[in-house]
Amino acid sequence: MVFAHTSTAATIYDGDGLNYKLKGDWQIQLRDNASKSKDLDVEFDDLELKNTVTYDLDNNLQAFGQLDFSFDKAAEDQQSGDKLEEAYMGLKYDSVAFRMGKMNTSGDEFGVESAYEKPAGTNEDQFEAMTDAGDDVLRLDADFDVVYISLSHELESKGNTSEGDSSTDLFVSTNIDALTLAAAYQVYDNNADTWGVSAQYDAGFINLGADYSVSDLDNSDRNETTYNLVSTFEASQNTAIALGYVNVDDEIEKVDAWYANVTYRFPAQKNVSLFAEVSDSDAGDESDILAGMQIKF
């Protein structure tokens, strides 16, 4: 496996059936954007703090809640104070969990894209292009070892401040030895029906992935498609390289893009990394170049 996730949350309190963890993801980079109208600048990508509380209710039942705050827009002077990324509560019994609130939809689980920043004019996939988060989400997740299933529904919430088009997402994935297969489907009212399939193969020294997603647009004869090809491999014990290709086609305009990035994780602390990336796209004025640092806990 190429660079397994090593981030571990800091336990603030653990006792009397209560567990409180704080998780952070901070990323700052120097970036020369693909747009000629933008000069080199320091960009704040992720400045997140996630607060997770879990209560043990006995008999394999748990209550949980999470508040996720992001400060990247404040750092860019685009707003004052933090932005609430997630706010939800729920119950978990064995391997099945139900939650409701502000969160990502199940379709957000889809995709193999491995870029630090999307190449100009592209999507991660069609679920990200349509909708992959909401303020009034009901979500059920079940992990049965051989298969993982996630089902979510975003309420229309008509007449409220969070009113919007409703959506229903289903995501399913399974592992067969070193092969991971996944499929997703979304009904986004008044917008589109979207489906996608993906596959990843972990050969140990290299990981290969591909995904394909399609949106059948409402009130239109057009479809929008996105597909990704990606390979990640270890250049050394602490250095990983990712190479990716993205194609987006809305039957009016077609965008081809590629990216390459390198990540170095410090041997003493794997959650501290340096990275660099270059990408190029038909939709950009020039290549997008960035380099930065990331700290997770």
Side-chain angles (χ1 to χ4, degrees):
M1 179 181 292
V2 179
F3 277 10
H5 295 291
T6 59
S7 179
T8 55
T11 300
I12 306 301
Y13 179 82
D14 188 10
D16 300 321
L18 168 64
N19 182 276
Y20 171 36
K21 291 183 177 181
L22 179 65
K23 188 175 183 179
D25 185 353
W26 303 342
Q27 179 180 319
I28 299 177
Q29 58 206 25
L30 192 64
R31 184 179 186 185
D32 186 4
N33 197 282
S35 172
K36 287 184 177 180
S37 64
K38 295 184 178 180
D39 291 336
L40 179 72
D41 79 334
V42 174
E43 189 173 84
F44 302 87
D45 187 270
D46 285 325
L47 293 176
E48 288 188 67
L49 289 175
K50 295 185 178 183
N51 300 266
T52 303
V53 172
T54 305
Y55 269 104
D56 186 357
L57 304 178
D58 295 330
N59 299 316
N60 295 322
L61 183 65
Q62 292 180 322
F64 61 90
Q66 179 164 298
L67 292 177
D68 178 1
F69 297 97
S70 177
F71 297 86
D72 54 342
K73 293 292 190 297
E76 297 277 6
D77 290 330
Q78 296 181 22
Q79 68 180 44
S80 60
D82 59 86
K83 174 187 176 184
L84 187 61
E85 295 279 351
E86 292 182 315
Y88 60 78
M89 299 177 68
L91 292 171
K92 180 180 180 182
Y93 180 76
D94 284 340
S95 57
V96 180
F98 172 78
R99 48 183 159 148
M100 62 180 178
K102 181 182 179 71
M103 72 189 91
N104 293 330
T105 60
S106 297
D108 183 65
E109 300 291 333
F110 180 83
V112 302
E113 182 260 358
S114 295
Y116 278 95
E117 298 293 343
K118 294 178 294 185
T122 68
N123 318 304
E124 291 180 10
D125 49 65
Q126 282 304 123
F127 297 95
E128 190 250 357
M130 294 296 109
T131 183
D132 61 359
D135 295 333
D136 304 282
V137 178
L138 309 177
R139 179 166 166 170
L140 182 69
D141 294 272
D143 190 347
F144 301 115
D145 292 331
V146 294
V147 62
Y148 167 72
I149 302 173
S150 182
L151 175 66
S152 69
H153 180 69
E154 160 78 348
L155 300 174
E156 184 180 3
S157 194
K158 190 173 182 179
N160 296 288
T161 55
S162 58
E163 179 179 347
D165 293 326
S166 66
S167 64
T168 302
D169 292 46
L170 175 65
F171 174 83
V172 180
S173 67
T174 186
N175 294 315
I176 306 172
D177 294 326
L179 179 65
T180 300
L181 301 174
Y185 184 75
Q186 178 187 84
V187 177
Y188 186 22
D189 288 354
N190 304 314
N191 290 275
D193 290 354
T194 299
W195 63 268
V197 292
S198 70
Q200 286 183 285
Y201 182 73
D202 185 357
F205 69 97
I206 190 170
N207 190 304
L208 303 173
D211 68 43
Y212 179 77
S213 52
V214 181
S215 295
D216 182 6
L217 302 178
D218 292 349
N219 303 315
S220 174
D221 295 331
R222 294 188 299 110
N223 289 337
E224 291 184 1
T225 63
T226 299
Y227 69 82
N228 286 274
L229 300 174
V230 63
S231 64
T232 57
F233 58 91
E234 291 185 358
S236 70
Q237 187 176 359
N238 302 305
T239 305
I241 295 174
L243 304 173
Y245 170 77
V246 189
N247 175 277
V248 179
D249 188 352
D250 64 2
E251 298 186 0
I252 296 177
E253 182 180 12
K254 180 180 177 181
V255 176
D256 290 299
W258 62 267
Y259 59 88
N261 60 55
V262 57
T263 304
Y264 175 78
R265 293 188 176 180
F266 288 89
Q269 297 291 344
K270 296 293 187 180
N271 286 329
V272 180
S273 61
L274 301 176
F275 61 87
E277 180 174 79
V278 59
S279 66
D280 196 81
S281 167
D282 294 340
D285 299 324
E286 55 192 10
S287 295
D288 193 326
I289 302 172
L290 60 88
M293 181 175 181
Q294 186 176 45
I295 295 177
K296 292 185 176 182
F297 61 87

